[in-house]
Structure formats: structure tokens, C-alpha cells
Amino acid sequence: GATIQVLLFAQLAAKLKLNAPNAHTFLEIIGERWGKLAHLVFLFFGLATNIVVSSMLCLGGSATVTALTGMNTIAACFLIPLGVAIYVVAGGMRATLLCDYTHTAVLFAIIFVFMFTVYATSDKIGSIGKMHELLVTAAANHPVDGNAQGSYLTMRSKNGLIFGVINIIGNFATVFNDQAYWQRAIASQPASCVKAYLLGGLAWFSIPFGFATTMGLAAVALNGHPDMAPLTPAQVSAGLPAPTAAAALLGKSGAAAMLILLFLAVTSATSAELIAVSSILTYDVYKKYINPNATEAQVLRVSHYMVAAFAIFMGIAGTIFFYIGVSMGWLYTFMGVLLGSAVVPIALCITWSKASRMGCVVGAISGLIAGIIAWMVTTSQLNDKINVMTSGGDYEMLAGNLAAIGVGGIVATAWSYIAPDDFNFDITRAINSPTHLKDIVEVEHSDKEKAPSVDSKTEKDVSHTVAPVEHEVIRAGITDEKDLDPVALNKAFKFAAWSSVVLTVILIILIPLPLFFASTVYDVGSLKAWVIVAIIWAFLASFTVVIYPLYESKDSLIMICKGIVKDLFKPGSGKYTAPTPVVA
């Protein structure tokens, strides 16, 4: 999954709160810092990221819905985004965050059902020992090329290592370039921002880890079982092993549970993409280039239009990819080729004052060109012809991914060292800053210019008490000044940097690489330890993302419950009213 990318994104989230706390999008920061050319270049990468991610959601979701229900694939491609668009338009970011929470809670419940079914209650598997036996048999019948002894019970996998590298690069692109992740950093409180991404990254890992250990291995173990439908390579690439295994294990109830799980996961991700694209098209296209003086009512109306328009576009994109034979798996490995070159330049823009405007723009463009060239050249050298099937091979995609992120990162970083900029982040801190602060500064400045008089102290007192109240405008999305302590934010960034780097090194080097080079084929005891760790991790993750948020929000929840009770007895009496500021 995107575990290490989310962990490392905690650094960018901390820097965002320090260097541009009131920005609506990461592209606003790029435009303010580097100008129109850079803004347009990275606008392409931002929208391309959302289109690729959205297309994967449509393709994977529609393929699973079709396999489980028989629904027409094209209908599923359109119904998934359009259904989500309704509640996004109605509830906005709040609806998205609430749905994320409730969907995640139910998703973990379903994952636990599958875990205990596979390893405890199923008459087809039912224990870790039986799983080990079935996997040994599967390896004997169909040994895996590139795996130690052809086994499924090993970390020594050549294809797994290649996919791991592709996965890391591609997910850097779909995290660092995706406005959906920046949106959550923007919406969060500075005090909890870093903690949220670190805990979220660790919790995230439990889903691919636990689900692969459960349903992934179950699909392999049940291969050839009468209740397990045979799968073609195209169906595997479309993401159908887990749904097929669920149906084999639990019949119609398993298919229904998988359908619910898919619906919850896809709708949560789709809502995030709709909000992200709406924000980009509203603030970085409409407000920046079409109507710079747009009112908040106009901005809100356009954002709703953009949600609806992109929902339709998602359906069209999914349909196009379906008809040309591009699967979710192909897009997943290709996303790093198309998007990887922008990862380092975007990170440098937010975090480093010396990052060169021209170096980062050239790095992003040259990395994209290098990635596509490497991908196509490798495809032509390893195959007789170039088509969707041949271009989606491991080595072909690995070459393109490495060239894209490597060239983009090297050019941007080297250029910035050779010809560095000297940017003052006060410029980006002023993006969307509260209007009343400007008025207060102007009043104070005018006070200083006045000649001293007997009543000067009285005049200053009046200006300081009246002006802020008169001009203050409460605007949604503006971070409170008291939450922007530079010392605390720098401390949070340092904590994010150390913790995320240490966790990343542990997760991608210290644990997997020794296991890979050991070439060990695991016995029953080793598999048992693996499964137990996966289950414990899933339980800890569910506590972190389901129970802990309730504890953190206990004061707000109590206040809401009191308001509901008041409304039951006296309608309208429970409405929240903000405390009246005390005028000195």
C-alpha cells in the first residue's frame, strides 16, 4: 500500500501548516511561489494524478461489482462516481470525512470476519496449519517462477521485489501529487496534523497486510477447489481474486460482504477525489484564470458544478479504459511512469526555500519524458510488438518508474544546489490570510505616524478595540493564529521527519530485505507468527482509527449530544452559538 508514503507525507503536512497554513490547494502554493508556468505544469500533474486514481477506482470497482452481481460494467463505471457525487455536493468536505470514518469502521469489521473465517471457522481452510498445507500443494502444482523453491511461503520473490519498487514509486506519485491528501492536511488542526498522518500511515498498512494474508492467500490455497471459480490473468489484474475467494468461502454472504467492503472503500476514495478535483478546478482554474474576483457564493456554486462534472468524467474515463483493455492493475503500475517525475519538485517547493523554480519545472518535464522513453524502449527491446499486454510487464514498468522519479528528482535537486532560489515563505503564509489582520496592521501603522497628543493613548485604545471587531471576518478554512506557533510547528516537523524516516527504513529495508536475501521457505510456525502479527496489527489499527478518534473528540461529541437532547424538548434551543469575544 501507500504506508511509507503517508508516513513521509507527515513532513509535508507539517511544512504546509508552517509555510502556507491557509492555502486551499498545494497548487496555490506553487503558483504563488513559482508563477504561472510552474503552476500550469504542476496543474497537469495534479489533475493527471486524480484522473489516474479515479480511473483505477472505476475499473476495479466496476469489475468486482460485475463479477459479484452481473451488473453491466459500463453502468457500474457511471453509477459509482455519480452516487458518491450526490452526498459530496450535499455535504462537502464534512460529508467526506464522516463517510471516511463510518466506512472505515465497517470495513475493519468485515476484514475481521474474513480473517476469522479463513483461519478459524471455514470448513475449506479453518486453520493456519491447513492454510500452510494448501499453499505447499499449490506451489507443487503451480510453482512460482522467481520465488525460492517456487513457493508461496517465502519473501524471496523476484517479481515481488520488482512490484515492490514499482509500488513505492507509484504511490509516492499518488500521495505527494494528489490534492486529496493535501486537502486533509489543510482541513486538520496544526496540533494534530503530524500525529494523524503518522498514525494513519501505520494503520493503513494493516489493510493490505491483513487482507493479502487472508484473502490473497485464500485465493491461492483454494485454487482448483470446486467452489473457487478459475481466474484468467486478466481477471487477476482486474482485482478479482479476493472477491472470488470470498464467494468460495462464504457463498452468497461472502460475496455480499465483499460487495459492501468494496462499496465502502471505493466510495470513500471516490469522494476524496471528487473533492480534490473540485478544489483544483475551482481555485486553480476558475478563480485564478477565469474570475479572480469571484465571491464565495460563486466559488461554492462552481465547486458543486465541478464535482458533478468530474463524476461524469470518471465514468467516461473508466469506460474508455475498459474498452481499450486497460485494467486496474496496468494503471496501478503505470502511474509512476506518468506522475513520478513531479514527486520531488512538489516536495521541494513546500519544504525548501532554495528550491529552484526553473530546476523543478525542468525536472518534472524531463522526468516525464525520460520515464516514457525508458518504458517504451524497454518494451520494444523485450517484446516483438508493443501493445497493452506487452507494455504492462514488470521490467517495462520498472524502467519507466525508475527513470521518471530518478530524472525528475536529480534534475530538480542538482539545479537547486547549482542555482538556488532564495524564497521567503512569508509570501505563501499570506495566501488567503484573514482580512482583519491587514486592517489591524494598517491601523497600528497609522497610529505610529500620528503626532503625539494628549489624547493619543485614548485614540490608540479605541483603534485597538474597535477596528478588529469592525473588520473581522470569520472565514471557513482559515487557521486560527493561536494554532500557528512557529516553534511548535518546527518541533512538529522535526518529529515528523525523524519518526517517518525511521519507520520507512524499518518497513522497506530492515524487515523485508533480510527476509528476501535469506530465501527462507516458511514452515507452519513461521506462517503462524506471520498471521498472528497481521491480526494484531489489524486490531491495533482499528482501535487507532475507530476508537481513538471518539476519545479525542469526546468534548465535541458531548456538546452535540447535549444539543440534540435540548432540541428534543425545545426545538432550536440546542443550536450552538459561538462565545462572544470580550472587548478590552
Side-chain angles (χ1 to χ4, degrees), residues 8 81 92 113 122 128 133 215 218 259 272 293 322-323 438 469 493:
L8 292 172
V113 168
S122 171
I128 297 174
E133 178 187 330
M215 303 310 292
L259 192 62
N293 298 316
F322 172 74
Y323 274 117
K438 178 176 180 292
V469 175
F493 171 73

Side-chain angles (χ1 to χ4, degrees), residues 2-139:
T3 297
I4 63 169
Q5 293 82 359
V6 175
L7 290 173
L8 292 172
F9 190 83
Q11 299 181 48
L12 299 186
K15 279 293 186 180
L16 173 73
K17 290 300 184 184
L18 182 65
N19 294 334
N22 298 314
H24 295 113
T25 69
F26 76 95
L27 292 167
E28 271 189 337
I29 305 171
I30 293 175
E32 191 70 27
R33 176 173 180 176
W34 286 337
K36 184 176 180 179
L37 174 62
H39 183 263
L40 292 174
V41 169
F42 290 100
L43 178 64
F44 162 78
F45 283 103
L47 289 176
T49 300
N50 294 124
I51 291 170
V52 169
V53 172
S54 300
S55 298
M56 286 194 293
L57 292 172
C58 277
L59 289 170
S62 61
T64 305
V65 170
T66 299
L68 293 176
T69 68
M71 176 186 283
N72 181 275
T73 302
I74 307 305
C77 280
F78 280 94
L79 288 175
I80 290 172
L82 289 176
V84 176
I86 294 172
Y87 77 74
V88 170
V89 169
M93 191 67 179
R94 289 186 182 89
T96 298
L97 295 176
L98 286 173
C99 287
D100 281 353
Y101 174 79
T102 54
H103 289 190
T104 303
V106 179
L107 184 146
F108 269 108
I110 295 175
I111 289 177
F112 290 137
V113 168
F114 286 133
M115 281 184 168
F116 290 112
T117 298
V118 169
Y119 290 110
T121 65
S122 171
D123 56 352
K124 298 179 178 66
I125 304 176
S127 69
I128 297 174
K130 181 65 174 179
M131 173 67 85
H132 186 275
E133 178 187 330
L134 291 172
L135 291 175
V136 170
T137 302

